[in-house]
Amino acid sequence: MKIQDLLKKEVMIMDLKATSKEAAIDEMITKLVDTGVVTNFAIFKDGIMKREAQTSTGLGDGIAMPHSKNAAVKEATVLFAKSASGVDYEALDGQPTDLFFMIAAPDGANDTHLAALAELSKYLLKEGFADQLRQAKTPDDIIATFDSNSISQETVAPQTVQSTSKGSDYIVAVTACTTGIAHTYMAEEALKKKAAEMGVGIKVETNGASGVGNKLTSSDIARAKGVIIAADKAVEMDRFDGKPLVSRPVADGIKKSEDLINIILDNKAQTYHAKNQNDKQSGESDGKSGLGSAFYKHLMGGVSQMLPFVIGGGIMIAIAFLFDNILGVPKDQLSNLGSYHEIAALFKNIGGAAFAFMLPVLAGYIAYSIAEKPGLVAGFVAGSIASSGLAFGKVPFAEGGKATLALAGVPSGFLGALVGGFLAGGVILLLRKLLSGLPKSLEGIKSILLYPLLGVLITGFLMLLVNIPMAAINTALNTFLQGLSGSSAVLMGLLVGGMMAVDMGGPVNKAAYVFGTGTLAATVANGGSVVMAAVMAGGMVPPLAVFVATLLFKDKFNNEERQSGLTNIVMGLSFITEGAIPFGAADPARAIPSFIVGSALTGALVGLAGIKLMAPHGGIFVIALTSNPLLYILFILIGAVVSGVLFGLFRKIK
């Protein structure tokens, strides 16, 4: 899409009458309302004024670009207006403004305007272009001015410009504004243009409304001399740990691009130190991070977003069963347990609404982690299909009569959603490659049409195939877990309980926890999951073991460690395994094996007794949602005492 497609002659104002900023905004919005582009004056103005409250959109040099992405906008439009006398628009340079581009962007997924706005940025940065607009007399002259300065046929400067005058200087930058519409792309173009003039290599990442564009990789960051952040909102910073960095408002990226570049080149930028050292390598790794770590990263990207739905919904459903148990349910109505009494039914339905999002959110955000924003829709669809069990031969259709209308798919559950998330992300990455040859002017159409349509189409049909084996595997797994008893339950409990203590919040711990929550979905209606019970009990042991060790072996711990032991009581009871990490990290050879023994023992005892849990989190606060609260507490205490004594005995006196 070209900017001319958004510049509509019928909404242009060739002689703006207003002399103040708000009056000018009102006059332009009125024109948009009168022409049917904006449906509600007040709603759209509220969006415009909220943007102005961040920083003025008066860019200087007589140009202003007020903008809003707003529910009151029917279609993406750029209103052009010019004033003969100029308006006091509170511009960044303090001078009157006489050229206006009011950008009205529709709310939702329509990102076609972004490519055109990025193009507009290039026009406005061209020498003498603004003066040509000032000379124009009619709307036709405005369009002709854009046509005569068309850059569609020009060679676009590459993102990375080869240095010609300053050795091998290379800089990376990030641009972002609050709405991700105008300033983001203008700052990008200004920095690229100035770097080209100065002979400096540069790569600019845009954090725009359509997501992250031209994302910086870890290798880009590593070889850069420094980093420029031109942003009015938070951007991912930890990846720049140890690099010279200058951070300024996005307006400085537009108006002071040369100054920002020189700060890096003259070594005047301060070294940035990340607050979260663990995430400093969060830029793209160019595939060098290894398959295992990439899998874990994407999986956790989905799991972290899923857990609030599982925890909130799961506990609400569990409370429904608790109410019915307390109030009593006739034997002939046990099939309605959890929804027999009205109060229970209310809790169950609210919890069910939250719980129903579990699989779509898991798959959606796995795909998002892999392919960013375009992966979301395909991922959500994959998760929903996994939840419904739709598959070839299991899709009802009216033409086939009653026999086909009665068809019902078998949900593939957590495993199906997991596969679906990775599948959806992979499909979007493939589409990106296949569509990379499209002209830049069609960039917007990819986000609004091609990625959603083709992503859903391909992922959906693939899931109809994938669901067949995954549903069978999920059914077999659930049948096995439902029938856990005796030695099999003991072994399962021992395994997942021990895993919770291996790295206390790390990949092994998370793997066990994710497996436990996966079993909960299929078992909550039948009283809960033995696996989930073993997981939570095993995870509570290490912090409680720390307390036991510091209490019984005071001479082996200093005062600070003993105080920390007291805080671990609360963490342990709350199912926060990470409370034991400082002790495990300080003495891993003695602490971790001790913790594993106690956690594994507790998990095995829970499995042996067949104790079920209906909640995915909460520790002591959801103890009533276990099938045997007293015995459950006893097993946790046994594990904590065993681990605490072993840790204390093995610990050397300081």
Side-chain angles (χ1 to χ4, degrees):
M1 178 179 283
K2 300 190 297 182
I3 188 62
Q4 292 93 317
D5 296 326
L6 300 185
L7 280 167
K8 299 177 181 179
K9 290 186 283 187
E10 62 269 25
V11 298
M12 291 185 184
I13 304 175
M14 300 306 295
D15 185 19
L16 193 75
K17 304 299 184 185
T19 56
S20 67
K21 179 175 182 175
E22 189 163 357
I25 289 172
D26 287 348
E27 189 174 340
M28 287 186 281
I29 297 176
T30 299
K31 186 72 171 181
L32 290 171
V33 172
D34 291 344
T35 53
V37 174
V38 170
T39 59
N40 188 296
F41 181 99
I43 293 175
F44 186 71
K45 182 178 178 180
D46 182 61
I48 290 288
M49 298 310 291
K50 283 181 178 177
R51 175 62 188 85
E52 293 296 327
Q54 301 289 330
T55 55
S56 175
T57 58
L59 305 175
D61 295 333
I63 299 171
M65 295 179 69
H67 53 275
S68 176
K69 193 173 183 181
N70 198 291
V73 180
K74 290 179 66 176
E75 59 179 320
T77 302
V78 177
L79 178 151
F80 171 80
K82 69 173 190 169
S83 167
S85 58
V87 176
D88 182 7
Y89 200 82
E90 303 171 3
L92 299 176
D93 60 359
Q95 299 301 309
T97 302
D98 61 347
L99 297 178
F100 300 86
F101 294 88
M102 178 170 276
I103 301 163
D107 203 5
N110 191 345
D111 294 329
T112 56
H113 61 288
L114 295 175
L117 297 177
E119 191 177 359
L120 175 60
S121 305
K122 298 172 187 175
Y123 280 104
L124 294 176
L125 291 167
K126 294 184 72 166
E127 208 66 45
F129 179 75
D131 290 332
Q132 293 179 45
L133 293 177
R134 293 183 176 98
Q135 300 301 318
K137 304 296 184 185
T138 66
D140 286 322
D141 292 340
I142 297 298
I143 298 297
T145 301
F146 275 93
D147 287 340
S148 63
N149 286 272
S150 177
I151 57 177
S152 59
Q153 302 302 319
E154 297 179 8
T155 302
V156 179
Q159 273 289 329
T160 302
V161 182
Q162 293 300 317
S163 166
T164 59
S165 65
K166 292 184 180 285
S168 57
D169 290 324
Y170 174 75
I171 297 172
V172 294
V174 181
T175 64
C177 64
T178 51
T179 59
I181 297 178
H183 288 54
T184 300
Y185 301 103
M186 290 198 71
E188 175 200 19
E189 290 302 319
L191 287 165
K192 287 163 59 181
K193 181 181 177 183
K194 187 55 66 176
E197 292 175 3
M198 299 171 67
V200 178
I202 193 168
K203 181 175 180 179
V204 185
E205 174 184 295
T206 55
N207 284 215
S210 60
V212 177
N214 203 42
K215 188 173 180 65
L216 300 175
T217 66
S218 55
S219 60
D220 292 328
I221 298 167
R223 72 187 185 95
K225 186 170 183 176
V227 183
I228 296 171
I229 305 293
D232 289 337
K233 67 178 184 180
V235 299
E236 190 181 351
M237 293 292 290
D238 289 340
R239 53 186 164 157
F240 302 126
D241 183 64
K243 302 296 295 189
L245 183 144
V246 56
S247 180
R248 298 290 170 78
V250 69
D252 283 5
I254 301 169
K255 304 302 296 181
K256 301 178 181 179
S257 51
E258 184 174 2
D259 293 343
L260 297 180
I261 293 171
N262 279 326
I263 289 173
I264 300 297
L265 297 181
D266 297 338
N267 299 313
K268 294 180 178 179
Q270 292 187 346
T271 301
Y272 177 74
H273 297 291
K275 294 179 181 178
N276 185 357
Q277 295 290 325
N278 293 327
D279 290 342
K280 69 181 183 179
Q281 297 297 329
S282 56
E284 278 187 22
S285 62
D286 301 322
K288 298 175 182 177
S289 59
L291 190 61
S293 62
F295 174 83
Y296 178 74
K297 172 194 169 190
H298 300 317
L299 175 61
M300 288 300 108
V303 169
S304 63
Q305 301 292 338
M306 175 195 76
L307 284 181
F309 293 90
V310 178
I311 292 168
I315 291 177
M316 288 287 283
I317 293 172
I319 291 173
F321 285 95
L322 189 64
F323 269 120
D324 266 356
N325 277 318
I326 293 172
L327 297 173
V329 177
K331 288 185 178 179
D332 62 341
Q333 293 292 321
L334 286 177
S335 61
N336 293 316
L337 188 67
S339 58
Y340 182 77
H341 296 92
E342 185 178 9
I343 183 69
L346 291 173
F347 275 90
K348 188 177 181 182
N349 280 277
I350 294 171
F355 216 63
F357 284 100
M358 180 181 80
L359 298 184
V361 168
L362 172 67
Y365 280 94
I366 288 175
Y368 177 81
S369 178
I370 296 169
E372 296 181 339
K373 188 178 177 182
L376 270 177
V377 62
F380 270 94
V381 169
S384 184
I385 292 174
S387 180
S388 66
L390 288 174
F392 286 115
K394 297 288 185 179
V395 178
F397 60 101
E399 187 184 19
K402 291 183 179 180
T404 62
L405 289 175
L407 288 172
V410 179
S412 57
F414 182 85
L415 294 176
L418 189 151
V419 173
F422 281 96
L423 184 65
V427 166
I428 297 299
L429 291 181
L430 179 62
L431 288 174
R432 275 183 176 168
K433 267 190 183 179
L434 294 175
L435 300 176
S436 60
L438 291 179
K440 194 172 181 180
S441 59
L442 297 177
E443 191 68 29
I445 212 77
K446 291 183 191 178
S447 302
I448 187 179
L449 178 62
L450 298 180
Y451 289 148
L453 175 61
L454 297 177
V456 169
L457 177 69
I458 298 170
T459 303
F461 274 92
L462 287 174
M463 280 300 297
L464 294 179
L465 184 64
V466 167
N467 251 4
I468 298 173
M470 295 310 301
I473 295 171
N474 186 60
T475 302
L477 179 62
N478 287 334
T479 302
F480 167 73
L481 293 172
Q482 294 268 6
L484 278 179
S485 61
S487 60
S488 60
V490 171
L491 288 173
M492 181 64 73
L494 184 143
L495 177 63
V496 296
M499 288 174 68
M500 293 298 293
V502 170
D503 51 5
M504 296 167 287
V508 178
N509 171 284
K510 285 292 187 293
Y513 182 70
V514 168
F515 179 65
T517 56
T519 67
L520 189 64
T523 58
V524 69
N526 299 310
S529 166
V530 176
V531 178
M532 190 70 244
V535 165
M536 190 166 82
M540 294 171 68
V541 165
L544 294 175
V546 167
F547 166 69
V548 171
T550 56
L551 180 67
L552 298 179
F553 301 87
K554 293 181 180 180
D555 58 324
K556 293 188 175 183
F557 300 91
N558 59 38
N559 186 60
E560 185 180 346
E561 289 171 329
R562 290 195 293 273
Q563 291 298 318
S564 181
L566 291 173
T567 64
N568 267 273
I569 298 177
V570 178
M571 290 190 178
L573 294 176
S574 303
F575 182 35
I576 302 174
T577 316
E578 289 83 351
I581 287 178
F583 292 84
D587 193 7
R590 297 175 180 82
I592 292 177
S594 302
F595 297 156
I596 291 174
V597 169
S599 292
L601 175 62
T602 292
L605 290 171
V606 169
L608 179 63
I611 298 175
K612 297 178 179 180
L613 174 65
M614 292 190 290
H617 211 290
I620 196 71
F621 303 103
V622 294
I623 198 69
L625 302 178
T626 63
S627 58
N628 194 326
L630 292 177
L631 200 57
Y632 194 66
I633 293 173
L634 176 63
F635 291 160
I636 294 170
L637 292 176
I638 290 173
V641 170
V642 170
S643 283
V645 171
L646 287 174
F647 181 36
L649 290 172
F650 292 153
R651 174 101 170 183
K652 289 185 177 180
I653 299 176
K654 290 192 172 182

